[in-house]
DNA sequence: GGATGGCTTATGAATCGCTTAAGGGCTGGG
DNA sequence: CCCAGCCCTTAAGCGATTCATAAGCCATCC
């Protein structure tokens, strides 16, 4: 899952990026409204984490502009003021949820999960696909009943495939949700990652469709 | 993607159908509520574009009736009046989005895209032409209900033909969209590709017009 | 019947994906 | 603060598939 973090404060931004990456999210950190809007318009993000405290009321503008462009990527707003006006402003402008600073990373993580659950229509924190289960809360994966130890990247790849089980996931789409917008061309990082994941699961589980991408069968055994 | 257009006005209906077909959607135009409901019950549509200004409050009835039958196909409502009551009526009855007449085709297109994105998973970006379906999201192709395995080039060729179904596509235009602007002259790569594609589908499906190019009939069987 | 354009098949080259190995960076322990 | 271990990216070799080219045949138009 690919998160766009819009935050001008260097310290908080770096901390959030690290925390989110530790939770297996791919984070693109943008420091100002203009570059944020450009990135948002690409529609490659799954969730936008937006600081309303950007200088010059930039935050709200980013949000309004996003919604006016009919981009309905979920937006989680961070604000320093817990006033009714602030909340109304944010939600009216099209935010899906908000957080009052300061907050704990656990709370942020919970809201991100809740938000992606809501917009995805999932009832629980767990994805089941055949003999595979993946827990977004605890980051645990089991295969054929056995727990499997996955690294951060492997987990993110498996999640992307499981969320689209039975459907082909395009190569660019995977690279985007793993590496963010600015992935370099010409590397075979994805292939190496697929290989590592196959080794930990089984080699039949992940199917390749030459020239297009990868796919997880709806019922892998 | 298959759109059900419910519109009683002949002029507007024809214009919308033409505009949507130009955007590679398959459009079934129905002029009254009764036939519309029958078509909706078939559940073959991916999206319903419903005029609320149908005579006799027909529009709202179609919508309520649809939702009562637990058919949750996305509905985009068109209404002439921009009053709060009108919006509430439509959204309360189960519409997913609404448009105030008159509107620009660009706006309609944007809302259709947004709607199909929101209800993703099914037929998000699908082109239907007769017995052929091509899914741009998952890169899957079916012919007469059977899945067909295509290579990247074959897929690109079929896509170009399907986006212009019923129209003649010039040779240069195909070569451009397959090989880019700087394709070398004197090769017959296109013919070889057409041959490969015909072999995987059927030899009657793709028609050649000597000296000009190729064409896919609007209703290939 | 000649000429042009399209069809079909074979073949070598290019591309794509798989696999293994190596090196750099980050983390946690001593 | 340094070292060890893990993770991740890069690189390179290999095998399989795909693709463009070429060459001969067939259909259509004049």
């Amino acid at each position: 899952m690919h998160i766009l973090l819009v935050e001008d404060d260097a310290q908080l931004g770096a901390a959030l990026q690290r925390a989110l990456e530790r939770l297996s999210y791919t984070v693109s950190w943008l420091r100002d409204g203009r570059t944020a809007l450009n990135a948002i318009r690409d529609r490659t993000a799954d969730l936008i984490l937006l600081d309303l405290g950007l200088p010059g009321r930039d935050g709200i503008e980013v949000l309004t502009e996003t919604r006016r462009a009919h981009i309905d990527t979920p937006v989680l707003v961070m604000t320093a003021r817990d006033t009714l006006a602030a909340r109304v402003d944010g939600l009216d402008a099209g935010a899906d949820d908000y957080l009052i600073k300061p907050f704990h990373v656990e709370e942020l993580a919970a809201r991100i999960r809740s938000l992606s659950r809501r917009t995805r229509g999932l009832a629980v924190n767990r994805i089941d696909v055949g003999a595979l289960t993946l827990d977004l809360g605890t980051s645990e994966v089991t295969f054929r009943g056995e727990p499997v130890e996955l690294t951060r990247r492997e987990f993110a790849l498996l999640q992307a495939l499981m969320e689209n089980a039975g459907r082909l996931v395009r190569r660019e789409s995977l690279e985007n949700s793993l590496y963010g917008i600015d992935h370099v061309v010409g590397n075979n990082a994805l292939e190496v990652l697929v290989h590592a994941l196959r080794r930990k699961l089984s080699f039949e589980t992940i199917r390749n469709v030459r020239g297009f991408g990868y796919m997880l069968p709806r019922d892998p055994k």
Side-chain angles (χ1 to χ4, degrees), chain A:
Chain A
M1 180 149 115
H2 183 193
I3 295 179
L4 231 54
L5 168 63
V6 188
E7 170 65 66
D8 64 317
D9 184 276
Q11 203 169 350
L12 182 57
L16 282 174
Q17 178 166 38
R18 221 172 325 117
L20 290 172
E21 284 178 347
R22 202 188 301 271
L23 292 166
S24 297
Y25 296 116
T26 304
V27 180
S28 301
W29 174 20
L30 306 164
R31 288 120 215 265
D32 68 288
R34 186 175 308 271
T35 54
L37 267 173
N38 282 331
I40 290 170
R41 270 190 269 264
D42 291 342
R43 295 170 197 267
T44 57
D46 300 303
L47 189 143
I48 299 162
L49 188 54
L50 178 66
D51 181 14
L52 278 199
L54 295 178
R57 237 185 108 72
D58 226 7
I60 286 278
E61 270 170 35
V62 167
L63 186 47
T64 341
E65 198 50 49
T66 300
R67 294 309 186 212
R68 189 155 54 199
H70 301 295
I71 298 170
D72 46 13
T73 311
V75 173
L76 176 47
V77 144
M78 303 178 284
T79 170
R81 302 148 296 167
D82 181 17
T83 64
L84 187 63
R87 293 192 195 185
V88 168
D89 277 4
L91 293 178
D92 264 2
D96 297 271
D97 203 353
Y98 60 90
L99 266 169
I100 313 295
K101 293 199 268 192
F103 48 81
H104 288 108
V105 175
E106 292 75 35
E107 165 130 34
L108 173 62
R111 285 184 190 269
I112 288 175
R113 282 198 302 275
S114 147
L115 209 49
S116 56
R117 203 160 53 233
R118 211 188 306 162
T119 53
R120 211 179 297 273
L122 294 175
V124 279
N125 259 348
R126 221 183 63 202
I127 314 176
D128 294 333
V129 177
L132 272 167
T133 71
L134 181 143
D135 194 314
L136 295 168
T138 64
S139 295
E140 282 168 334
V141 172
T142 68
F143 182 53
R144 295 169 184 160
E146 298 290 313
V148 184
E149 293 285 317
L150 296 187
T151 68
R152 200 164 55 88
R153 288 269 197 254
E154 289 161 4
F155 185 88
L157 170 62
L158 184 58
Q159 180 183 349
L161 289 173
M162 287 179 76
E163 280 170 353
N164 295 286
R167 277 176 291 167
L168 193 145
V169 192
R170 280 176 182 284
R171 200 197 172 78
E172 311 89 66
S173 161
L174 286 174
E175 280 175 347
N176 175 58
S177 69
L178 286 167
Y179 306 111
I181 326 167
D182 48 350
H183 66 272
V184 224
V185 288
N187 61 4
N188 65 343
L190 182 60
E191 276 109 320
V192 177
L193 195 59
V194 167
H195 181 65
L197 188 54
R198 279 177 171 155
R199 178 181 294 205
K200 290 191 180 176
L201 303 173
S202 81
F203 282 85
E204 305 84 55
T205 310
I206 301 173
R207 290 229 318 263
N208 167 263
V209 181
R210 195 182 167 93
F212 292 98
Y214 293 86
M215 146 171 169
L216 196 68
R218 194 168 289 286
D219 191 12
K221 41 183 192 345

